[in-house]
Amino acid sequence: MSERSVSKQKQEKRWYTIHAPQQFDRQELGGTPADEPDKVLGRNVETTLGELKGDASENNTKLTFKINDVGSDSAYTEFIKHELTRDYLRSLVRRGASKIEAYITVLTTDDYRVQIQPVAFTTKSADASQEQAIRRTMIDIVEEAAEDRTFEDLIDSVVEGRLSSAIYGEAKTIYPLRRVEIQKATMEARPEEVAAEEETSVDVDEEEVEV
């Protein structure tokens, strides 16, 4: 390919300004080039909560968005993942204390499937029954939160720290806690994907009954 052809291809590419979802005030996340709008769809964009809020103290929280819509010169995203950095999580670990984790998959009121991973750090070493009780509390509170929240509201409660505060308030009565965080929240399936999975499951069940 000649240099002129390569140069022409570069000129044909257009830059699209990437925007965060509405719940993050459509803030700009940067730009991405493409020669066709369809090639922008599906691209992931990573940033930090600190960059979105202009607060460096929030840089330990990473956010991942995926482009799901493209306009004339703009690309719009949906939330995919909230995750704390490894360095920050390591800084919370103390010798002689317990780290208690849970992995909870929930369905929001608008049928998004989300996995939420809370983690609690105790002041001293808890015994097995105390760890189990704290983990049970985590699961109950996360499930209750999803029962009456939309996807957007649930993610807001994670990002703003309200969900971790609710867990802390309940779990500290079981054993003294130093910190509770939501170390990861991931959107696993959209409503249409959940519906398709349920339809497939029903079809399989019906076939089994006929047999």
Side-chain angles (χ1 to χ4, degrees), residues 120-132:
F121 299 89
T122 63
T123 57
K124 296 180 181 179
S125 181
D127 63 32
S129 63
Q130 290 164 334
E131 289 188 6
Q132 185 177 2

Side-chain angles (χ1 to χ4, degrees), residues 14-205:
R14 145 181 268 167
W15 276 88
Y16 296 85
T17 302
I18 305 170
H19 297 273
Q22 183 62 50
Q23 71 185 107
F24 295 95
D25 301 323
R26 294 288 190 199
Q27 292 192 50
E28 289 189 15
L29 300 174
T32 187
D35 52 8
E36 295 179 14
D38 288 348
K39 292 183 179 180
V40 178
L41 291 172
R43 292 183 183 177
N44 284 353
V45 184
E46 289 189 0
T47 187
T48 67
L49 185 59
E51 289 173 343
L52 286 183
K53 295 174 67 174
D55 182 357
S57 68
E58 299 280 9
N59 282 343
N60 52 21
T61 300
K62 297 187 295 183
L63 298 172
T64 303
F65 303 103
K66 177 178 282 188
I67 297 173
N68 65 346
D69 190 24
V70 181
S72 59
D73 58 1
S74 296
Y76 303 97
T77 61
E78 62 180 342
F79 170 91
I80 295 297
K81 185 167 61 177
H82 160 286
E83 185 176 17
L84 298 181
T85 64
R86 292 181 181 178
D87 287 345
Y88 175 66
L89 288 171
R90 277 198 294 265
S91 74
L92 298 177
V93 177
R94 296 288 186 276
R95 183 174 296 178
S98 299
K99 176 185 177 183
I100 305 160
E101 300 173 287
Y103 300 81
I104 310 141
T105 300
V106 294
L107 201 64
T108 62
T109 58
D110 48 354
D111 293 333
Y112 281 83
R113 189 168 69 234
V114 186
Q115 186 184 83
I116 295 180
Q117 300 176 23
V119 57
F121 299 89
T122 63
T123 57
K124 296 180 181 179
S125 181
D127 63 32
S129 63
Q130 290 164 334
E131 289 188 6
Q132 185 177 2
I134 290 172
R135 188 172 292 109
R136 183 71 256 171
T137 297
M138 289 177 169
I139 294 170
D140 290 344
I141 290 177
V142 170
E143 289 179 344
E144 288 169 8
E147 283 177 2
D148 61 359
R149 283 178 173 82
T150 63
F151 173 68
E152 184 175 314
D153 289 341
L154 183 61
I155 296 306
D156 280 345
S157 72
V158 170
V159 173
E160 294 170 8
R162 287 183 276 113
L163 187 56
S164 56
S165 293
I167 294 172
Y168 179 85
E170 287 289 328
K172 71 178 182 180
T173 63
I174 300 168
Y175 193 84
L177 299 177
R178 192 166 47 80
R179 191 96 179 164
V180 173
E181 297 278 9
I182 305 299
Q183 60 181 331
K184 186 183 290 188
T186 308
M187 190 262 279
E188 291 193 336
R190 301 165 187 81
E192 61 272 19
E193 295 168 334
V194 171
E197 289 174 5
E198 290 177 350
E199 186 176 340
T200 302
S201 176
V202 169
D203 290 343
V204 171
D205 290 343

